[in-house]
Amino acid sequence: MAIGRDIYTDSRLILEKLEARFPDGAIGASQPDQKAVEKLLERWIVDGGVVLRASQLIPAEMPLNQDPKYRKDREDFSGRSWDKANILKMRPEALAQIRNDFDFLEKGLLADGRDWILKTDKPSLADIEAVWAFHWLDGLKGALPPSIISAKQFPKVFAWIDRFSKAVSSAKATAQKPTTLKGPEAIHFITQASFAETQGNVDEDPLGLHKGQDVEVWPLDSGFKHHDRGKLVALNAKEVVIATRTDAEAMEVRVHYPRRNFRIYALPVAGESKL
């Protein structure tokens, strides 16, 4: 996501920025205990293995899995083999784990028959944090065998997923239609804009980094072969920001990352020996 010349990576950070920048449309909780539930759900889905196990349920027979370029892309992103034999090998264990996750929702968060996680009258950020992986699996033909995971075994979870789907469809029907831009158009549009945020500061941090230092940033949970380099602009407990330049127009942009599950590495100063 880009707002002006500030570019935000990772959906977790994007949601936080949207909530803060557009408070009139915010759907996040206001009470500390409910905010904690949101954060716990976010970390359960991403850090707790739900997304990883869900990805292992992509059917090996899908036509896209037969494309070598797609398999290479998925291997670079996930750090594991994406060939058919490996997909079939991982599937039983992944299915057992995902069934356990459905059970947690059915007999835990949704057990009392509530419509939404925080007992709100419409979907909240807590629902988005929790539902998206299950919503994706439900729409992926062949991912969930009905004899193991279906509305028969988990009626509350599937009813929740269905309510969420209908709420999203209703919201789309009343939303403005987005403008589609091709890559070069998007780059030009971004680089001609102003920065959306001030530079910020580099706080005192265990890494001992300082403002203007050359650093490299990359994710640790997926996509970890893709590294970004730039000058450190801001650093705090939740976020790291670097300044870099676009290839096409050599214009400075600032790229924002969450601290959690991202590594920041100080690049050697020119002429400095590297151990």
Side-chain angles (χ1 to χ4, degrees):
M1 179 184 76
I3 302 178
R5 279 199 275 161
D6 286 276
I7 299 171
Y8 304 92
T9 67
D10 197 282
S11 59
R12 290 165 286 189
L13 180 61
I14 289 170
L15 286 171
E16 287 183 11
K17 293 294 182 178
L18 290 174
E19 287 281 296
R21 190 170 181 85
F22 305 103
D24 290 345
I27 56 173
S30 58
Q31 299 301 313
D33 58 338
Q34 293 186 337
K35 284 180 175 291
V37 171
E38 289 175 352
K39 189 58 65 175
L40 286 171
L41 289 171
E42 171 204 299
R43 294 182 180 178
W44 171 54
I45 295 295
V46 180
D47 300 346
V50 178
V51 171
L52 172 63
R53 293 304 189 177
S55 71
Q56 292 171 347
L57 293 181
I58 296 175
E61 300 77 19
M62 281 184 62
L64 198 57
N65 275 330
Q66 316 314 313
D67 183 348
K69 290 183 179 179
Y70 172 77
R71 291 201 303 270
K72 178 65 166 56
D73 176 77
R74 292 298 85 190
E75 287 173 351
D76 286 347
F77 185 76
S78 65
R80 55 186 169 81
S81 171
W82 209 260
D83 63 43
K84 184 175 181 178
N86 196 54
I87 291 174
L88 293 173
K89 180 181 178 180
M90 293 186 296
R91 182 173 172 81
E93 185 176 280
L95 190 58
Q97 294 297 323
I98 288 295
R99 179 178 61 180
N100 183 273
D101 295 326
F102 268 87
D103 191 69
F104 168 71
L105 290 168
E106 184 76 18
K107 298 177 181 177
L109 292 176
L110 302 172
D112 60 4
R114 67 185 65 190
D115 283 346
W116 306 112
I117 296 292
L118 297 180
K119 295 186 176 180
T120 48
D121 58 359
K122 59 184 179 180
S124 72
L125 186 57
D127 293 285
I128 293 175
E129 297 287 12
V131 77
W132 65 272
F134 301 98
H135 181 271
W136 176 71
L137 279 173
D138 184 41
L140 187 60
K141 186 177 180 180
L144 301 175
S147 61
I148 298 175
I149 299 176
S150 71
K152 180 179 179 180
Q153 295 92 353
F154 305 104
K156 293 183 176 67
V157 179
F158 278 91
W160 173 58
I161 294 171
D162 185 59
R163 282 192 297 274
F164 183 79
S165 294
K166 290 176 179 176
V168 170
S169 296
S170 177
K172 282 183 176 180
T174 58
Q176 291 183 348
K177 186 176 180 180
T179 300
T180 301
L181 297 175
K182 293 182 179 180
E185 294 174 315
I187 292 173
H188 180 74
F189 185 81
I190 291 168
T191 55
Q192 297 309 303
S194 301
F195 288 105
E197 297 190 28
T198 57
Q199 274 203 14
N201 300 307
V202 173
D203 294 350
E204 185 176 350
D205 191 87
L207 296 180
L209 301 172
H210 58 81
K211 197 176 186 73
Q213 191 168 2
D214 289 323
V215 297
E216 190 169 32
V217 183
W218 69 94
L220 297 176
D221 51 0
S222 60
F224 31 74
K225 289 188 177 182
H226 300 276
H227 296 203
D228 295 326
R229 290 186 173 192
K231 291 193 177 296
L232 186 63
V233 172
L235 181 69
N236 56 47
K238 294 184 177 181
E239 184 180 4
V240 55
V241 186
I242 65 171
T244 187
R245 292 186 178 276
T246 62
D247 291 334
E249 303 190 17
M251 292 289 289
E252 182 179 297
V253 294
R254 295 179 191 147
V255 188
H256 301 243
Y257 312 83
R259 282 299 297 269
R260 190 173 183 84
N261 288 331
F262 275 78
R263 178 162 290 160
I264 311 164
Y265 172 72
L267 294 171
V269 177
E272 185 177 80
S273 62
K274 182 177 180 181
L275 297 178

